[in-house]
Amino acid sequence: MKLVIIEGVGKKDTIKKYLGSDYEVVATKGHVRDLPQKTIGVNVKNNFEMQYQIMPDKQDIVKMLKEKSAKADRIYLATDPDREGEAISWHLCNILGLNPNDPIRIEFNEITKNAINKGLEHPRGINLNLVNAQQTRRVIDRLVGYRVSPKACKAIQPNLSAGRVQSVALRLVVDRENEIRNFVPQEYWTMIASLKKDSSDIFKASLAKYKNKKIVPANKEEVDGITAKLNGGQYKVKTVKKSLSKVHPAAPFTTSTMQQDALNKIGLSLKKVTSCAQQLYEGVEIGSEGKVALITYIRTDSVRVAPEAQKMAKDYIIGHFGKEYAPNTPNEYKVKSSAQDAHEAIRPISLERTPESVKQFLSTENYKLYKLIYNKFLASQMTEATFNSVNVEIENNDYIFKCNGKTPVFDGFMKVYNSAKKEKQTDTEEDESENAKLPELNEGDVLDFVDMKTTQKFTKPAPRFTEASLVKEMEEKGIGRPATYTPTITLLSNRKYVEKDGKYLKPTELGEKLIAFLLKGYEGLFNVNFTADMETKLDEIANNGLDYLAVMKKFNDYLEKLIGQPSEPEHTGIMCEKCGHEMVKRVSKYGEFLACSNYPQCKNIHNIVKTVGVCPKCHGDVIERRSKNGKIFYGCNNYPKCDFISWEIPVEKKCPKCGSYMTQKEVYGKLRIKCSNENCDYSETVKKESKNEENS
């Protein structure tokens, strides 16, 4: 009997079906050996010796693996084809007494009979470069967690975690929030002219230039002045430029682009995308066929497509759409220099297995994701779309208005996937001057003026991150890798460092306090460039055999140098009435409090009361409180004489409809004020005052 050891139990039946009765397939369910839970487990003074232990919840699995391996004629390690999978196989060698240099490691990018058999035909030894890269990441993350996290817990509150990648991702969210807070809107105006030629349909053109220089009116006075000058002239076509424009299909999915499109186009959360993709990769029950894998390996940063997959796509496209939809030579896409390029792009295993043909066997989410992946790959192998484009400039008294039109000539890849589709826009001036169809215009044509639409607008800050846009930002800045995006962002939510405001990620007060603390003493460690550089070094270990012990030593030396810098809690200038030392501000899970800096010799503490409003019942002070699970609510300071409580801050304004008191809540930079009476639907939204306005 031959034994094949895999990671995920979900693909066990799929693989077993292809291997037959001569093979037994067992799953480790992830890692079985790791650093100890309660100690650092790394001896930095002895070449970073790692004290691995069998994980407590994997004792039975290890026992089973030892029993089965002892009876097996041949053992194959078929863990996932990435660094984590390679490390798991290396750990199994140590646990089961296997020689890592023997040809025992097999890998495949898709779970098909051909791919598995090909893997069995070419077994190899363990790739120690991949293992060393994984171990280096594990050790460095452990050093950060065990040396920085306790300091954050001491300064802020218990049970905080400072992660090498996690904290930098959180910093991106916090930095964006500060940009939004500090953003000063600038007024500007748009001017959209409605014009027509003879009896043609009305079309729109937007003000773009004055005397060949870009112009954006800054206020109503400028608009009125421009309008006055325009009224005395005529609208005349200055230039007409016609061209055949081409749109090339986008590359097939990587892990991050799949996550982004799945959120933006079909509304799946990051966690749900990862779960659905895993199921599609491992296999789903397809009627009498049993478990069938539908897509290739899902953790990849490459857009490379195997030649056999390109041929499969070309044959399918010609057969179902016609030769004109298949390019003469396969489309090639540039792989980013930072990509590991260990695997193909994410694609369907067989194009004959269309989304509609398997829809009845898939959950709604799995069907939507499979269709997205299927169409994206198919489109990436098709010809470009072409359009007749026309760009027109219209002049009136040295003012230039622009408009453009675009009509499709050949749909190409857009027949199956419109990757150029824009998200819904809030500002529509671009849309109004982009006309689907313009009348036949020629230079010198004099146009009839219909009306002018002028609109006051204000510049807006960059929006908060969504899960998808945060993944994109992390990828672009080189923070983390395909396998780390989902766990990193999920951890920020689980630890309550960020919260959802609609689909957007907003840092919590705790998340902001943690970043403020880390930047005081450890800014050099928790910044984008340092983190991206470390990811590059890990890649060099994996790909080129860079000395991993030297990388760990250099990092540890830098970390120890940083740890020596004091990171103090916030000073207050208030003296302790018991011992005369300064009181400092600290935070517990119940909120901020004052504590004597002479602790533990002096244990004097005082609560900090934060007043937020006036009680609508007794007119006492409403203060911020915290529930047992740490959630903020608001209650009267005269409790228990007054029992007023609210999840939102009460305001003095009465509801104009029913007279009840109203409450306020910040919703993405604006204050939503609503009636507290659940039977009354009155609400209003007001612009939140900036700190400068509050202090003026």
Side-chain angles (χ1 to χ4, degrees), residues 650-666:
V651 296
E652 294 186 41
K653 181 177 180 178
K654 299 295 183 182
C655 175
K657 285 185 71 174
C658 71
S660 300
Y661 76 90
M662 300 182 72
T663 62
Q664 71 177 29
K665 180 181 180 181
E666 182 183 348

Side-chain angles (χ1 to χ4, degrees), residues 92-374:
L92 290 173
C93 287
N94 284 273
I95 294 169
L96 302 178
L98 305 175
N99 185 344
N101 296 317
D102 287 346
I104 55 176
R105 175 78 166 110
I106 64 172
E107 60 179 337
F108 33 85
N109 191 53
E110 59 187 51
I111 304 174
T112 60
K113 187 176 182 64
N114 288 340
I116 293 171
N117 286 336
K118 189 175 179 180
L120 286 168
E121 290 169 4
H122 301 91
R124 58 170 175 79
I126 300 296
N127 186 330
L128 291 179
N129 287 344
L130 296 179
V131 175
N132 291 337
Q134 189 275 339
Q135 288 193 109
T136 303
R137 177 189 290 277
R138 187 76 184 94
V139 168
I140 287 174
D141 290 349
R142 175 60 66 105
L143 293 176
V144 172
Y146 268 75
R147 291 180 177 172
V148 180
S149 295
K151 294 183 177 293
C153 294
K154 184 177 179 181
I156 304 175
Q157 72 175 50
N159 301 319
L160 293 183
S161 106
R164 184 182 61 87
V165 175
Q166 160 206 315
S167 296
V168 177
L170 175 59
R171 182 179 177 180
L172 292 175
V173 177
V174 171
D175 286 350
R176 177 62 58 86
E177 192 70 16
N178 287 329
E179 287 176 24
I180 293 171
R181 286 182 186 139
N182 298 328
F183 184 80
V184 179
Q186 299 293 319
E187 180 183 5
Y188 71 99
W189 287 69
T190 60
M191 300 183 69
I192 309 291
S194 292
L195 306 167
K196 62 184 300 187
K197 177 183 176 182
D198 302 327
S199 60
S200 68
D201 292 336
I202 295 172
F203 64 95
K204 299 178 185 299
S206 60
L207 176 65
K209 296 179 182 179
Y210 176 65
K211 291 185 177 179
N212 288 322
K213 290 186 178 180
K214 183 179 178 181
I215 181 173
V216 180
N219 49 54
K220 184 67 164 60
E221 289 72 21
E222 284 190 35
V223 170
D224 290 343
I226 294 170
T227 301
K229 292 180 181 178
L230 293 172
N231 288 340
Q234 61 179 194
Y235 291 87
K236 188 175 183 180
V237 176
K238 182 180 180 183
T239 62
V240 178
K241 294 181 180 179
K242 296 180 180 180
S243 63
L244 182 69
S245 61
K246 299 179 180 181
V247 180
H248 197 71
F253 281 138
T254 62
T255 302
S256 70
T257 55
M258 175 186 69
Q259 291 167 338
Q260 293 164 45
D261 264 24
L263 188 144
N264 292 330
K265 292 182 181 296
I266 57 178
L268 295 185
S269 69
L270 196 56
K271 192 173 182 180
K272 177 60 74 173
V273 175
T274 304
S275 172
C276 292
Q278 187 73 28
Q279 293 170 34
L280 294 173
Y281 163 66
E282 291 184 343
V284 292
E285 293 287 344
I286 305 292
S288 59
E289 291 186 66
K291 267 200 167 184
V292 176
L294 296 180
I295 62 174
T296 55
Y297 192 55
I298 56 174
R299 285 183 279 279
T300 178
D301 53 10
S302 175
V303 291
R304 177 172 50 84
V305 177
E308 55 268 28
Q310 290 176 329
K311 184 179 185 306
M312 170 185 72
K314 184 174 183 178
D315 291 345
Y316 184 89
I317 292 165
I318 291 174
H320 289 76
F321 300 102
K323 288 185 178 180
E324 66 273 23
Y325 285 91
N328 293 328
T329 57
N331 294 332
E332 298 287 346
Y333 297 92
K334 186 177 180 181
V335 178
K336 291 175 60 177
S337 59
S338 61
Q340 298 173 45
D341 198 27
H343 312 292
E344 281 188 78
I346 301 170
R347 61 169 176 82
I349 290 172
S350 170
L351 288 172
E352 295 297 337
R353 208 176 287 278
T354 65
E356 293 306 316
S357 71
V358 295
K359 184 176 182 179
Q360 61 178 313
F361 305 111
L362 303 180
S363 68
T364 302
E365 291 87 358
N366 282 356
Y367 166 72
K368 287 180 178 179
L369 184 60
Y370 181 56
K371 185 176 181 180
L372 196 71
I373 293 168
Y374 184 99

Side-chain angles (χ1 to χ4, degrees), residues 391-411:
N391 294 283
V392 181
E393 288 188 342
I394 300 163
E395 187 174 23
N396 183 341
N397 279 338
D398 293 327
Y399 289 97
I400 302 294
F401 287 74
K402 285 188 174 183
C403 61
N404 58 68
K406 188 165 70 171
T407 55
V409 175
F410 179 66
D411 53 2

Side-chain angles (χ1 to χ4, degrees), residues 389-570:
S389 298
V390 58
N391 294 283
V392 181
E393 288 188 342
I394 300 163
E395 187 174 23
N396 183 341
N397 279 338
D398 293 327
Y399 289 97
I400 302 294
F401 287 74
K402 285 188 174 183
C403 61
N404 58 68
K406 188 165 70 171
T407 55
V409 175
F410 179 66
D411 53 2
F413 75 92
M414 289 186 176
K415 195 172 190 70
V416 296
Y417 196 92
N418 186 2
S419 56
K421 185 178 180 181
K422 297 180 180 178
E423 291 187 48
K424 185 178 179 181
Q425 295 174 310
T426 52
D427 292 336
T428 59
E429 66 272 13
E430 294 88 357
D431 291 340
E432 292 187 73
S433 60
E434 290 182 3
N435 300 274
K437 188 175 183 181
L438 291 173
E440 184 64 34
L441 297 174
N442 300 295
E443 292 181 11
D445 284 348
V446 176
L447 305 173
D448 295 327
F449 174 75
V450 179
D451 62 35
M452 178 73 71
K453 179 182 177 183
T454 61
T455 307
Q456 181 189 36
K457 294 182 178 292
F458 292 89
T459 55
K460 296 179 180 179
R464 286 175 177 147
F465 288 110
T466 62
E467 287 181 338
S469 61
L470 183 55
V471 166
K472 184 178 181 181
E473 187 80 358
M474 291 174 68
E475 182 186 36
E476 288 179 350
K477 294 187 178 300
I479 304 168
R481 287 298 182 259
T484 65
Y485 298 139
T486 298
T488 297
I489 296 174
T490 301
L491 190 63
L492 295 182
S493 295
N494 290 345
R495 289 193 168 273
K496 308 214 181 305
Y497 298 153
V498 302
E499 60 188 5
K500 286 279 191 75
D501 184 0
K503 69 177 182 178
Y504 295 100
L505 297 175
K506 176 184 177 182
T508 61
E509 184 178 359
L510 179 60
E512 295 198 55
K513 285 180 181 293
L514 177 59
I515 290 302
F517 168 79
L518 294 177
L519 296 187
K520 282 182 181 178
Y522 314 105
E523 198 281 335
L525 179 62
F526 298 106
N527 73 60
V528 168
N529 291 336
F530 183 87
T531 306
D533 182 62
M534 181 55 64
E535 293 294 343
T536 301
K537 284 186 170 62
L538 294 174
D539 290 344
E540 290 177 2
I541 294 171
N543 301 329
N544 305 317
L546 181 68
D547 186 348
Y548 74 105
L549 291 175
V551 172
M552 287 194 283
K553 184 179 186 309
K554 185 175 181 181
F555 177 84
N556 185 63
D557 290 345
Y558 178 62
L559 181 60
E560 288 185 347
K561 188 176 180 182
L562 278 180
I563 296 298
Q565 299 177 9
S567 295
E568 299 294 334
E570 186 176 339

